[in-house]
């Protein structure tokens, strides 16, 4: 039986060792790169608008039209959704390690290509950017199920939650690094190629050299991915995949003997017994009975969370303006605006995003996934209602500090809450042969929510007054009503959390029920042997 395999018992009981931290860094650097690539585009979209959509007769700087802005910002999310489904499935078919290298090389190539363009016309540049960012997102999508699955299968059961959370927390550092790189690049270009503000000289406010700045920022994401590639290729396949899916317990024991520095010799009888076991598929009745509600819980919770999480940019621009992080666009030149946007994003990452992730790392194996996710959804609801109900109060002069505090707490409890746990739990509760697939399905549902949150609510949050909408947008339901809808999403997420089991302190085989197959068959056979013979 799975639980009697010595290699799996050794992994579950292993003391925290250097290889655990190596695995965190190797998997985490993928997530570092993912976050850098996904969020760095928001640092340069204003600059792209000034460069490629400049209108000499306009009193305001050029900006991306709504449809172009939606495409540039959202195409990577679409690629990520497709990549999560495809590479999640492929990770269960071919093995985690083989597919892990593919995703990383795809990210490196598309990162570099994103900074290039066919021609210099707006249409050519944007089409090129969107094409390569889709495939960049496709590679990033593969990193979600594979990194989570690899870390869960390498970890011991006592600290598994913290290890997977630490991988996910590298997103915060990727986000922070994107802001820092953009600050350095914009500062260097601004110092070398100074320019007047837009209101003083519209054409001269954007120097030709600014066209290199955004390209360098996007292409920089290839560096951490390249540095990680060698170490990813050196990692052995996870023992759980080798033993439970490839059914080669002897090879799994040999691989983990080197990793754990402990001699593990698998008994041939157990390995043969394992190789004979029948395995049910994703669309089987057994899967629906054992894990159907679990999969519904993980997908719906991630979907609802990402609607709320990614729509928080609804009021990000209000915050930046309120605390004077962003002056009016026409009072700055192009590179100065890029610098100030990057500075604001960096401060948000440093003060709101990163602390929430690391609270999860420190507390998840103490208070459990279930409590953190419930608490996160609850407090996100509270703080969103706290923003929505007195919305007019918060947006009047003199009350901006309270607005910022409420906003920061919403972000904090998203990260010390469902934004982390929705990533962790699907990597723990499903069988090894379907673990990567089910994580990919759950993550793809999240990205569908992210697309709705980022773009659906960008339109929904527009003023009901046609004269007050942003350029190019139709009237919407307003920010206040949008916040009420988002609070409702959090309430729904709170209740769907009850479909997901607590996984703290349990082995992966215990959670997935992979031991029960054999136990049920053994029990049924014993009952049959001991049952009285039917009358003649």
């Amino acid at each position: 039986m799975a639980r009697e395999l010595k290699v799996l018992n050794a992994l579950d009981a292993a003391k925290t060792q250097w290889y655990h931290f190596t695995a965190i860094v190797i998997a985490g650097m993928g997530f570092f790169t993912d976050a850098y690539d996904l969020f760095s585009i928001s640092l340069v979209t204003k600059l792209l608008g000034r460069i490629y959509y400049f209108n000499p007769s306009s009193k305001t700087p050029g900006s991306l039209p709504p449809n172009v802005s939606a495409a540039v910002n959202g195409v990577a999310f679409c690629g990520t959704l497709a990549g999560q489904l495809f590479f999640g499935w492929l990770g269960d078919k071919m093995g985690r390690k083989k597919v892990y290298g593919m995703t990383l090389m795809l990210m490196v190539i598309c990162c570099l290509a994103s900074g290039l363009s066919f021609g210099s016309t707006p249409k050519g540049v944007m089409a090129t950017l969107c094409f390569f960012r889709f495939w960049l997102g496709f590679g990033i999508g593969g990193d979600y199920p594979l990194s989570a699955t690899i870390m869960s299968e390498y970890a011991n059961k006592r600290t598994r939650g913290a290890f997977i959370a630490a991988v996910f927390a590298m997103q915060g550092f990727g986000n922070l690094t994107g802001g820092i790189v953009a600050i350095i690049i914009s500062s260097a270009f601004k110092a070398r190629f100074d320019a007047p503000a837009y209101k003083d000289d519209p054409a001269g406010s954007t120097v030709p050299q600014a066209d290199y700045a955004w390209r360098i920022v996007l292409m920089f994401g290839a560096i951490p991915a390249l540095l990680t590639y060698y170490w990813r290729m050196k990692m052995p396949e996870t023992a759980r995949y080798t033993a439970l899916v490839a059914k080669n317990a002897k090879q799994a024991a040999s691989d983990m003997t080197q990793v754990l520095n402990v001699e593990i010799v698998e008994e041939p009888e157990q390995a043969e017994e394992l190789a004979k076991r029948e395995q049910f598929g994703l669309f089987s009745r057994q899967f629906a009975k054992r894990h159907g509600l679990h999969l519904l819980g993980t997908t719906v919770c991630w979907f609802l969370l990402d609607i709320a999480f990614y729509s928080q940019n609804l009021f990000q621009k209000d915050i930046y303006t309120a605390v004077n992080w962003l002056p009016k666009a026409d009072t700055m030149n192009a590179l100065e605006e890029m610098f100030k946007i990057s500075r604001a994003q960096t401060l948000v990452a440093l003060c709101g995003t990163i602390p929430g992730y690391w609270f999860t790392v420190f507390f998840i194996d103490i208070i459990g996934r279930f409590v953190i996710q419930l608490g996160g959804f609850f407090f996100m609801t509270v703080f969103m209602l706290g923003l929505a109900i007195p919305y007019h109060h918060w947006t009047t002069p003199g009350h901006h500090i309270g607005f910022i505090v409420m906003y920061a707490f919403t972000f904090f409890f998203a990260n010390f809450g469902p934004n982390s746990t929705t990533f962790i739990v699907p990597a723990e509760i499903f069988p090894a042969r379907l673990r990567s697939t089910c994580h990919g399905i759950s993550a793809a549902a999240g990205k569908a929510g992210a697309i709705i949150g980022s773009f659906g609510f960008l339109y929904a949050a527009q003023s009901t007054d046609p004269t007050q909408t942003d350029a190019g947008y139709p009237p919407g339901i307003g920010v206040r009503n949008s916040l009420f809808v988002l609070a409702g999403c959090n309430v729904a997420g709170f209740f769907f959390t009850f479909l997901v089991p607590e996984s703290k302190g349990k082995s992966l085989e215990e959670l997935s029920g992979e031991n029960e197959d054999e136990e049920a068959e053994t029990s049924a056979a014993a009952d049959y042997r001991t049952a009285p013979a039917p009358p003649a």
Side-chain angles (χ1 to χ4, degrees):
M1 289 191 291
R3 70 178 175 188
E4 292 180 354
L5 286 175
K6 292 181 179 179
V7 64
L8 304 189
N9 286 335
L11 281 167
D12 282 337
K15 293 179 180 178
T16 301
Q17 300 177 35
W18 182 248
Y19 90 89
H20 285 120
F21 296 107
T22 305
I24 289 170
V25 171
I26 293 169
M29 283 307 291
F31 261 84
F32 175 97
T33 307
D34 296 349
Y36 182 98
D37 292 337
L38 282 177
F39 294 109
S40 59
I41 191 69
S42 64
L43 304 172
V44 300
T45 47
K46 293 281 188 184
L47 182 61
L48 288 169
R50 286 193 184 232
I51 295 171
Y52 294 106
Y53 292 90
F54 169 65
N55 181 355
S57 62
S58 175
K59 293 182 179 179
T60 56
S63 62
L64 298 179
N67 60 330
V68 175
S69 178
V72 168
N73 285 286
V75 71
F77 287 150
C78 297
T80 303
L81 189 155
Q84 286 163 336
L85 292 171
F86 176 74
F87 285 115
W89 167 79
L90 202 62
D92 284 333
K93 291 294 179 188
M94 292 180 60
R96 300 20 169 159
K97 179 184 173 179
K98 287 180 182 176
V99 182
Y100 216 23
M102 291 183 207
T103 62
L104 205 62
M105 284 316 297
L106 186 58
M107 286 158 61
V108 169
I109 292 166
C110 292
C111 237
L112 294 172
S114 293
L116 306 174
S117 59
F118 301 136
S120 57
T121 63
K123 187 177 288 187
V125 174
M126 296 304 144
T128 307
L129 184 59
C130 288
F131 176 81
F132 285 113
R133 280 192 65 78
F134 175 85
W135 291 108
L136 173 63
F138 193 69
I140 289 171
D143 233 40
Y144 275 73
L146 292 167
S147 289
T149 300
I150 285 170
M151 198 64 245
S152 73
E153 293 181 346
Y154 262 100
N156 60 51
K157 65 182 179 182
R158 185 175 56 84
T159 56
R160 185 179 60 237
F163 289 163
I164 305 173
V167 169
F168 192 62
M170 292 297 284
Q171 273 199 337
F173 291 115
N175 203 341
L176 180 68
T177 302
I180 292 170
V181 169
I183 286 172
I184 293 169
I185 298 298
S186 58
S187 298
F189 273 79
K190 188 157 66 80
R192 179 69 179 84
F193 308 104
D194 198 15
Y198 184 87
K199 65 179 182 180
D200 298 326
D201 182 0
S205 66
T206 306
V207 295
Q209 292 81 1
D211 194 41
Y212 294 106
W214 69 268
R215 298 175 190 272
I216 294 169
V217 169
L218 296 186
M219 294 171 84
F220 185 87
I223 295 174
L226 268 175
L227 294 175
T228 314
Y229 184 77
Y230 170 75
W231 297 105
R232 280 199 180 183
M233 292 300 94
K234 281 192 69 178
M235 288 178 80
E237 181 57 84
T238 70
R240 285 184 161 91
Y241 181 86
T242 305
L244 299 175
V245 184
K247 297 186 177 182
N248 189 344
K250 184 178 178 182
Q251 182 62 48
S254 173
D255 289 342
M256 290 305 106
T257 293
Q258 297 176 12
V259 169
L260 296 171
N261 295 317
V262 175
E263 185 65 29
I264 304 171
V265 180
E266 207 60 73
E267 294 179 14
E269 297 81 11
Q270 293 168 337
E272 287 173 19
E273 186 80 22
L274 183 69
K276 293 175 184 175
R277 288 179 61 190
E278 291 293 323
Q279 296 183 335
F280 56 80
L282 180 65
F283 300 105
S284 65
R285 184 177 298 174
Q286 293 99 312
F287 180 86
K289 182 179 177 182
R290 288 171 182 257
H291 300 293
L293 288 177
H294 296 164
L295 187 58
L296 178 66
T298 58
T299 52
V300 174
C301 286
W302 206 335
F303 173 75
L304 294 168
L305 173 274
D306 274 9
I307 290 177
F309 185 75
Y310 280 88
S311 61
Q312 289 189 64
N313 61 16
L314 290 179
F315 35 91
Q316 215 160 26
K317 63 179 185 295
D318 298 326
I319 289 173
Y320 296 162
T321 305
V323 294
N324 294 318
W325 285 348
L326 286 184
K328 288 188 176 180
D330 65 352
T331 64
M332 300 179 283
N333 63 43
L335 291 167
E336 186 181 0
E337 184 178 41
M338 178 181 167
F339 170 82
K340 291 192 173 173
I341 290 170
S342 305
R343 185 182 63 180
Q345 297 272 67
T346 303
L347 286 167
V348 168
L350 195 59
C351 301
T353 307
I354 291 174
Y357 282 131
W358 288 96
F359 262 70
T360 303
V361 173
F362 293 130
F363 291 108
I364 193 162
D365 288 312
I366 299 171
I367 62 178
R369 290 75 161 144
F370 184 76
V371 172
I372 288 177
Q373 184 160 313
L374 274 185
F377 273 127
F378 175 79
F379 284 109
M380 286 174 72
T381 304
V382 168
F383 286 112
M384 280 198 173
L385 289 175
L387 284 168
I389 294 170
Y391 182 72
H392 179 70
H393 169 80
W394 293 126
T395 52
T396 54
H399 301 115
H400 293 317
I401 297 300
F403 184 87
I404 293 162
V405 170
M406 299 286 276
Y407 172 76
F409 271 118
T410 308
F411 239 118
F412 175 81
F413 281 107
N415 292 319
F416 181 42
N419 192 40
S420 296
T421 54
T422 51
F423 174 80
I424 295 163
V425 174
E428 299 180 305
I429 63 175
F430 298 108
R433 62 188 172 277
L434 299 169
R435 186 168 290 134
S436 179
T437 301
C438 290
H439 194 285
I441 292 168
S442 303
K447 274 297 165 281
I451 293 166
I452 293 170
S454 296
F455 306 107
F457 279 87
L458 194 62
Y459 284 85
Q462 295 297 320
S463 172
T464 54
D465 181 355
T467 63
Q468 300 295 315
T469 60
D470 294 338
Y473 288 91
I477 62 174
V479 172
R480 185 170 184 264
N481 289 330
S482 296
L483 287 171
F484 280 120
V485 174
L486 296 177
C489 290
N490 291 328
V491 171
F494 179 92
F495 287 108
F496 272 96
T497 297
F498 286 93
L499 296 179
V500 182
E502 176 58 75
S503 51
K504 182 184 77 163
K506 298 178 181 177
S507 76
L508 296 180
E509 288 67 50
E510 185 182 354
L511 286 162
S512 64
E514 284 169 285
N515 294 330
E516 294 174 18
D517 292 339
E518 198 69 25
E519 287 170 359
E521 289 169 14
T522 304
S523 175
D527 291 344
Y528 176 79
R529 286 194 299 270
T530 58

